[in-house]
Amino acid sequence: MSSVPVYDVAIIGGGAVGCAIVHELTGRGLKTVLCEQNSQLVQEASAGNSGIVHTGFDATPSTIEHQCLEDARILNKTIYNKYNLPFEERGALLVAWNQDQMSKLPSLLKSAHNNGVTGARLISRADLLRREPHLNPAALGAMIIPGELVVDPWLIPITLAHKAWMQGSMIMRDCKVLGGHLETGSHWLLETSRGPIKSRVVINCTGLQGDLVEAINQPSPFEIHPRKGQFAVFDQSAANLLHSIILPVPTERTKGVLVFPSVYGNIVVGPTAEDQTARENPQVHPKVIDELVAYAHFVLPQLAEHPVVATYAGLRPATQTKDYHFIVDRDRGWVTVGGIRSTGLSACLAIARRVANAIPTSKPHITYPEQRPEIRRIADDTVEMDGVSYHLTHPLIRLGFPNKMAKL
Ligand SMILES: Cc1cc2nc3c(=O)[nH]c(=O)nc-3n(C[C@H](O)[C@H](O)[C@H](O)COP(=O)(O)OP(=O)(O)OC[C@H]3O[C@@H](n4cnc5c(N)ncnc54)[C@H](O)[C@@H]3O)c2cc1C
């Protein structure tokens, strides 16, 4: 009978958060395994996002989300530069379309400054239209938020997981964690669809399944309430119509629908915020897409001359509260990173650092080599990284990913 493999840490979930965690923990010298139930990494919430790295200008102060977004501002760019991951600092314009929205800009500016986004400022209608000459001239004014980035939301987590794998960590796909218990001797014995795994610490970062997986350790203190976001993507021929990310004045419940450029030059409109019960396979609805496209045409009237080339939808792992659920159960060796609702791409590196700091180790750290991955798109849906094939799971990126990427 083969013996059960033993790890320092088992990470359950291979989305943006799990991929960032395996990268960080591997760097801390820990023997790590990542278990992902799907055949591909980055296939759930992390494959349906907008690809924007937020500054956190509108985060609720003193929340974990706020702290992570603050930490992420420097961390993200350091890693993107280290691995030559494409990003563009487009900045955002939060546009007021009526007097009521204009009256809200000063308090939004105050929050942005309180949140450390000190470069934010109000600009006049004339300045706004000078910056974005194709914007609907009905706009009255705006707040400019420098520092908001557009990125490749697929390549970031895949590169992080790939780098960890190159350093010897196990990435197990088609590996669903079905249950587990804490054995005497203080190791978890996890039951998975690929056999048992032993680990000193377990990390639950299972996104839309977060509360169900949490029940392996304790009755979950949070419930997942999936929130769907739909998008329409315009042809790259429209790329010159827009430079910045156009945000609406937010409501209490949602940041609202954005019109923004992708890092590969598509203009995108979305996401919606629709509560639902199903935790998988989000579908787009033609009526909603029509409304999104009409809104995009309002914001940028010349978009009407360019075709919509794709639509997609994603599910946010929202919960009954806004903040992340970051729980460290030291006695039982279980860390929960749940309900990473709408900023997980932006915050994943900072979340990973926070998780690593909760797992002290005396093992020597490793330094990831500066060597950047060699990346080639070898088929419509497949990218090869250092000779290893990865399925392009993010619809926005599948559309725009360059056919050849010279040595990244
Ligand atoms: C419409 C939309 C727009 C968004 N826009 C942005 C944005 O612009 N910027 C930003 O920062 N964030 C954005 N987000 C949020 C961001 O995408 C999420 O916060 C992030 O993807 C959450 O990552 P995760 O790793 O926690 O979850 P997931 O990506 O869902 O990963 C969890 C993984 O766990 C796996 N899993 C579950 N159960 C098990 C099990 N039992 N065993 C093994 N594996 C399991 C799942 O298969 C999945 O792969 C957006 C999200 C959506 C949906």
Side-chain angles (χ1 to χ4, degrees), residues 12-19 35-38 40-54 69 175-178 205-210 213 227-231 258 271-272 313-317 337 339-347:
I12 317 177
V17 174
C19 291
C35 305
E36 167 53 51
Q37 65 180 358
N38 292 325
Q40 305 296 326
L41 300 173
V42 190
Q43 216 179 314
E44 302 289 333
S46 303
N49 57 31
S50 317
I52 296 174
V53 164
H54 303 291
L69 288 172
C175 180
K176 180 168 184 166
V177 174
L178 305 163
C205 48
T206 49
L208 292 152
Q209 311 296 324
V213 171
R227 186 170 293 164
K228 182 162 78 173
Q230 303 188 44
F231 299 88
L258 284 55
T272 53
L315 284 181
R316 304 171 183 87
V337 191
I340 313 297
R341 187 176 57 132
S342 52
T343 48
L345 172 66
S346 315

Side-chain angles (χ1 to χ4, degrees), residues 375-385 387-390 392 401-404:
I375 299 183
R376 284 189 318 137
R377 186 174 190 166
I378 56 170
D380 188 42
D381 60 356
T382 314
V383 166
E384 202 178 68
M385 194 180 287
V388 182
S389 293
Y390 292 98
L392 258 170
F401 200 90
N403 275 330
K404 271 194 194 304

Side-chain angles (χ1 to χ4, degrees), residues 35-262:
C35 305
E36 167 53 51
Q37 65 180 358
N38 292 325
S39 61
Q40 305 296 326
L41 300 173
V42 190
Q43 216 179 314
E44 302 289 333
S46 303
N49 57 31
S50 317
I52 296 174
V53 164
H54 303 291
T55 52
F57 76 91
D58 53 353
T60 309
S62 308
T63 56
I64 299 168
E65 180 184 39
H66 174 244
Q67 290 157 15
C68 286
L69 288 172
E70 202 166 50
D71 295 346
R73 275 178 226 148
I74 293 176
L75 200 50
N76 286 343
K77 282 196 200 163
T78 308
I79 291 288
Y80 302 164
N81 284 326
K82 178 168 176 163
Y83 296 143
N84 211 10
L85 297 167
F87 71 95
E88 287 185 22
E89 192 156 346
R90 294 290 190 117
L93 290 165
L94 193 149
V95 176
W97 298 99
N98 58 42
Q99 284 303 340
D100 181 47
Q101 293 174 356
M102 276 298 276
S103 69
K104 293 188 171 134
L105 293 185
S107 71
L108 289 165
L109 180 67
K110 200 165 163 220
S111 317
H113 287 170
N114 288 343
N115 282 340
V117 183
T118 49
R121 62 193 167 83
L122 302 189
I123 58 169
S124 67
R125 176 175 179 274
D127 194 359
L128 172 62
L129 295 176
R130 203 163 32 247
R131 287 165 188 275
E132 294 294 349
H134 301 288
L135 198 70
N136 190 328
L140 299 182
M143 171 165 77
I144 186 165
I145 306 133
E148 301 261 315
L149 314 177
V150 294
V151 300
D152 181 329
W154 177 80
L155 193 56
I156 292 170
I158 293 296
T159 302
L160 295 173
H162 178 80
K163 288 281 164 189
W165 174 77
M166 299 270 279
Q167 292 300 319
S169 282
M170 282 292 288
I171 307 288
M172 294 179 72
R173 297 183 281 184
D174 289 315
C175 180
K176 180 168 184 166
V177 174
L178 305 163
H181 64 271
L182 193 58
E183 291 194 310
T184 46
S186 68
H187 270 84
W188 278 92
L189 182 65
L190 293 178
E191 183 197 336
T192 85
S193 54
R194 291 185 58 186
I197 285 174
K198 270 192 185 187
S199 183
R200 186 165 60 81
V201 177
V202 173
I203 298 167
N204 169 17
C205 48
T206 49
L208 292 152
Q209 311 296 324
D211 50 353
L212 306 179
V213 171
E214 188 65 10
I216 296 174
N217 182 47
Q218 61 163 343
S220 179
F222 60 91
E223 288 158 29
I224 295 291
H225 300 296
R227 186 170 293 164
K228 182 162 78 173
Q230 303 188 44
F231 299 88
V233 187
F234 289 86
D235 189 65
Q236 285 171 335
S237 57
N240 290 337
L241 295 182
L242 185 66
H243 176 77
S244 317
I245 300 159
I246 305 296
L247 307 173
V249 172
T251 65
E252 178 50 31
R253 189 170 159 276
T254 161
K255 287 180 194 295
V257 170
L258 284 55
V259 181
F260 60 96
S262 80

Side-chain angles (χ1 to χ4, degrees), residues 303-343:
L303 263 184
E305 294 162 23
H306 299 268
V308 169
V309 289
T311 57
Y312 70 99
L315 284 181
R316 304 171 183 87
T319 68
Q320 69 275 30
T321 58
K322 265 183 156 180
D323 201 8
Y324 303 165
H325 296 268
F326 182 77
I327 309 163
V328 181
D329 183 345
R330 275 184 221 286
D331 292 341
R332 292 173 57 79
W334 183 281
V335 180
T336 308
V337 191
I340 313 297
R341 187 176 57 132
S342 52
T343 48

